[in-house]
Amino acid sequence: LSETEKPEAPEVSFMSEVDGLARQSCDRLNAMGYEGGVSIDGLCVNPLPEQREEALSLIVELCNNIERHGEPRRGSFELLITFSVEALEIRQINDIASRDSLTDDERSGRGLTLHERRIRDMGGVLTTRSDDGVWVLYARIPLKPASEEP
């Protein structure tokens, strides 16, 4: 084949991309001494670019927050991802001992606050709570298939 006739690399599906990123991120945390894993279920459509970008970015943020605010070998985490035609749901549960809490001056507004705003603007929801040392996040990102975009 000539230079101009190279076949294009197959496009990675959104589900495969999420699966790969989530597993890679959890494996990195496990290698650092954090105990936990990821569970992925369901089927989905090919989302709009902003939905894809937000989902991937949120997964990175969640795993980075465990590293940033937790201590290895102190508790566990679970990342649960469910795909459907209507939405991508992400749940993270952890009881990883937290380092000192961030002060108001240290909060950038670029972490979960930014993700909550983006997801809300898409018509979704992101909530967090902490009960008896267990931190829970739930995010629902509505998925509109890219083929339905005007």
Side-chain angles (χ1 to χ4, degrees), residues 7 30 32 41 64 67 72 92 95 100 114 117 134 147:
N30 293 151
M32 295 169 64
D41 191 30
N64 285 346
E67 179 182 349
Q92 185 189 60
D95 64 350
D100 294 334
L114 178 61
R117 203 170 329 148
V134 176
S147 61

Side-chain angles (χ1 to χ4, degrees), residues 22 25-38 58-80 90-100 112 135-137:
S25 297
C26 288
D27 287 348
R28 180 178 58 82
L29 288 171
N30 293 151
M32 295 169 64
Y34 295 95
E35 185 178 327
V38 63
L58 179 59
I59 291 167
V60 169
E61 179 72 20
L62 293 174
C63 292
N64 285 346
N65 280 350
I66 288 175
E67 179 182 349
R68 192 175 301 125
H69 303 293
E71 293 180 29
R73 292 171 278 292
R74 304 261 330 255
S76 62
F77 71 91
E78 203 61 43
L79 181 60
L80 310 165
I90 299 173
R91 292 170 179 83
Q92 185 189 60
I93 304 162
N94 77 65
D95 64 350
I96 293 172
S98 179
R99 295 183 189 139
D100 294 334
L112 290 178
W135 189 80
V136 179
L137 173 134

